[in-house]
Amino acid sequence: MDILGSGVLDPIGSDARRPVIIAFLIFIGVALLWLFTLATAEEENPERLYVANRSLSPVVNGFAMAGEQISVVTLLGVSGGVALFGYDGFTYALDCLIMLGVMLLLAQKIRTSGRYTLGDLFALRAPGTGPRIAATAVTLAITVPLIVINLRVAGTSTALLIGMTTDGAQVVCTILMGCLVACFAAVAGLRGNSFMHVAKVPLTLTALAVITLLAVRKFDWDPGSLLSAAVDNSMAPDKYLKPGFWPYTASLGSLNTFGSHIVLILGMAVMPYQILRVSASRTGRTARRSMSIATGLVGAFVLLLITTGFASAAVVGASGIGAVDDTGQSSPIQLASEVLQDGSAGRIVLITVLACVVFLTVITTTTSVTFAAAVSLSHDVFARGKRPRTETGEVRALRVAAVSICAVGLSLAAVIHRYPIEFLAAFSISVSASCVFPTLIYSFFWSRFNRRGLLWSVYGGLLLCTVLTVFSPIVSGTAFALWPQASFDWYPYQTPGLISVPAAFALGWLGSITSSRESQLDFRHVQHEILTGQRAG
């Protein structure tokens, strides 16, 4: 951080600075204008804002689903992991693709049920306000850490692009990006955000493909030479293409690595914004078709992401990447600045396009996360009060909730901007895998699941995730921990999900079988609703 803050390292260069900043600002203005144009066409109707009136075509929603996977953490973090840690980063990139297979199992049932928030889905087997409040608590526990992570990465990347990499500049950039996200989340409904995702996907794939081809050209169009150079320029050539090089898990054993992959796949598949996106499909069958389209697009993205990571290691080198950012998140930007000669117009254009891709990725991803949390608050809490609520009042509550949630995330991102935040990612994904995935599996496939089982599973999983994260090696006791000097890490694994996911399944089973059968809904009625979207008479 001291080296980065000194401004000594400047991968963009003074020749490209002014054109990049001007083009970047123009792109921001055009994006805002486009979004406001889309927003003016929206009706002040909750269902139209929440799920675009379930009118998105399979192709549009498929592109938007793929766009949800192209987050700023994936784009910059995973490519940086491949660049610095080789094989281990490569395996984490593949998790983004495997996750869609899990989502495919649930997509049609979620859409056909007609429910689009966690509160709605929890109420499928446990009516009442208690399950909806539990769903909102879980949604906030998942989304707020993700907002903090995305804004943190956005602020650092923006400061690097404009050449003001001091501590104060990074905080200012984080605040500015957070204000833009709050504006987007408050104004745009799901339809407007979907079209932003649709624009982002081809732009991102094209930019990564061009950067990759230019990198391969530097090695006479020989991918083997590029991979050899990546190995030679890595921090440890003998370990680069072998498992166990990832510093966060290298000392924790293979069981920890296996658990991290499983939790990442299960947790990312049932994120609240993913469920909201699936619910925007016209029918359950079109939801599956959209997932198939998204799988092909995400497969191309993952392939380009892996290639970009290896190209960054080959062209820039691990020492050059690590000097600017020890997590490698700046590697795509550094690669774009190295594949063409200084002073050339092509280099300026390439850096500008990548800057726009990063901006669009930040805006769309963080807006999706914030919007899903705001929908949960307005639909599951505000609209379920004792007094009847009008549609206008519910939409107003959605706007206020979006701004409030983004303000909380922005405040946290600004306060902890100098601290490692890997624990937030582990906590968020583990909560999703522990509290949402077991509940959905039981709700759709087990006839005896009931209210007590649901509440035990949700609150038990949330409590375990909180306790085990606090006492894990990513909070204390390791070089990459939040407090590396402290040592209260009695839980030996990086992710709490290795314990909390099976425990949540066990609690759901135990709570259900200890309830009286009179407290259980007739599963035939539940199946009828899942299959038809209509409640049984």
Side-chain angles (χ1 to χ4, degrees):
M1 289 294 296
D2 294 333
I3 296 175
L4 179 61
S6 68
V8 175
L9 298 169
D10 184 10
I12 306 302
S14 58
D15 60 321
R17 182 76 57 213
R18 186 183 299 273
V20 166
I21 292 176
I22 292 174
F24 189 51
L25 292 176
I26 292 174
F27 183 81
I28 292 175
V30 171
L32 285 170
L33 180 62
W34 184 31
L35 180 67
F36 291 150
T37 303
L38 292 172
T40 54
E42 295 277 8
E43 297 182 17
E44 290 294 299
N45 177 278
E47 184 120 339
R48 288 184 178 274
L49 289 174
Y50 297 163
V51 288
N53 207 29
R54 305 187 192 276
S55 61
L56 297 182
S57 68
V59 175
V60 170
N61 210 27
F63 269 79
M65 286 179 183
E68 298 284 9
Q69 310 312 312
I70 305 177
S71 68
V72 67
V73 176
T74 306
L75 178 64
L76 302 181
V78 173
S79 60
V82 175
L84 292 180
F85 310 117
Y87 176 86
D88 286 342
F90 166 82
T91 58
Y92 279 102
L94 294 179
D95 290 344
C96 301
L97 188 58
I98 301 173
M99 175 272 299
L100 291 175
V102 177
M103 191 63 195
L104 197 61
L105 173 69
L106 302 172
Q108 186 167 353
K109 292 183 178 297
I110 291 173
R111 171 57 192 93
T112 308
S113 71
R115 299 168 182 249
Y116 50 84
T117 65
L118 289 185
D120 279 344
L121 291 169
F122 286 6
L124 186 67
R125 303 298 298 273
T129 58
R132 290 187 180 274
I133 293 174
T136 302
V138 167
T139 300
L140 293 176
I142 294 170
T143 54
V144 172
L146 291 179
I147 294 170
V148 173
I149 294 168
N150 279 277
L151 291 179
R152 161 78 174 271
V153 175
T156 304
S157 303
T158 305
L160 182 66
L161 286 169
I162 66 176
M164 299 174 63
T165 52
T166 60
D167 249 5
Q170 291 181 47
V171 174
V172 170
C173 288
T174 300
I175 293 173
L176 291 176
M177 295 300 287
C179 292
L180 284 173
V181 169
C183 180
F184 271 60
V187 172
L190 190 74
R191 180 185 296 277
N193 196 27
S194 298
F195 285 113
M196 298 291 282
H197 277 298
V198 170
K200 176 183 72 176
V201 171
L203 183 62
T204 303
L205 295 180
T206 302
L208 292 179
V210 170
I211 293 173
T212 300
L213 289 174
L214 291 173
V216 176
R217 189 185 67 169
K218 294 179 72 73
F219 295 92
D220 297 325
W221 304 103
D222 184 3
S225 298
L226 184 146
L227 184 60
S228 298
V231 173
D232 294 336
N233 292 334
S234 66
M235 294 179 289
D238 57 327
K239 298 180 181 179
Y240 188 70
L241 296 181
K242 298 178 181 179
F245 191 34
W246 191 267
Y248 304 105
T249 59
S251 61
L252 302 178
S254 57
L255 182 60
N256 175 83
T257 303
F258 172 77
S260 297
H261 284 290
I262 294 298
V263 169
L264 181 62
I265 292 169
L266 299 182
M268 292 300 294
V270 291
M271 286 288 181
Y273 59 87
Q274 294 278 25
I275 293 172
L276 200 63
R277 173 65 56 195
V278 168
S279 301
S281 300
R282 294 172 179 171
T283 63
R285 183 167 297 180
T286 58
R288 289 180 62 87
R289 185 180 171 192
S290 296
M291 290 297 301
S292 300
I293 295 172
T295 301
L297 293 171
V298 173
F301 170 68
V302 168
L303 179 61
L304 289 170
L305 202 63
I306 293 170
T307 310
T308 302
F310 285 126
S312 300
V315 176
V316 183
S319 59
I321 296 171
V324 175
D325 179 14
D326 58 3
T327 63
Q329 292 175 352
S330 63
S331 60
I333 299 173
Q334 290 182 268
L335 177 62
S337 67
E338 292 287 342
V339 291
L340 293 173
Q341 293 180 350
D342 291 348
S344 64
R347 179 176 182 271
I348 295 174
V349 170
L350 191 60
I351 295 173
T352 303
V353 170
L354 189 60
C356 295
V357 167
V358 172
F359 167 75
L360 196 55
T361 302
V362 170
I363 288 295
T364 52
T365 304
T366 316
T367 299
S368 292
V369 175
T370 306
F371 185 74
V375 169
S376 178
L377 281 173
S378 61
H379 180 70
D380 293 331
V381 178
F382 178 81
R384 306 289 168 176
K386 294 182 179 179
R387 294 186 301 172
R389 307 292 181 179
T390 63
E391 290 185 350
T392 303
E394 190 172 342
V395 171
R396 189 181 299 116
L398 173 71
R399 314 286 194 202
V400 174
V403 174
S404 302
I405 292 168
C406 198
V408 171
L410 178 59
S411 302
L412 292 174
V415 169
I416 63 174
H417 74 282
R418 288 185 63 91
Y419 293 92
I421 56 174
E422 285 75 16
F423 74 98
L424 291 177
F427 174 75
S428 175
I429 295 172
S430 294
V431 169
S432 180
S434 305
C435 301
V436 182
F437 184 75
T439 303
L440 293 185
I441 293 296
Y442 278 149
S443 296
F444 291 148
F445 300 106
W446 189 33
S447 61
R448 291 199 61 181
F449 192 53
N450 56 29
R451 178 188 178 90
R452 178 186 289 182
L454 185 146
L455 294 178
W456 282 21
S457 179
V458 170
Y459 283 121
L462 183 59
L463 178 62
L464 281 172
C465 286
T466 303
V467 173
L468 296 180
T469 299
V470 170
F471 295 103
S472 69
I474 56 175
V475 172
S476 69
T478 60
F480 298 95
L482 177 63
W483 293 299
Q485 287 78 23
S487 181
F488 47 86
D489 52 321
W490 53 261
Y491 176 68
Y493 302 115
Q494 182 192 25
T495 171
L498 195 61
I499 301 298
S500 60
V501 171
F505 272 106
L507 288 170
W509 171 81
L510 183 62
S512 297
I513 65 171
T514 56
S515 297
S516 62
R517 285 192 174 272
E518 287 75 13
S519 66
Q520 299 173 9
L521 293 176
D522 191 333
F523 189 57
R524 292 173 298 174
H525 293 173
V526 175
Q527 287 180 312
H528 180 271
E529 187 170 350
I530 293 173
L531 293 174
T532 65
Q534 299 177 351
R535 294 191 177 185

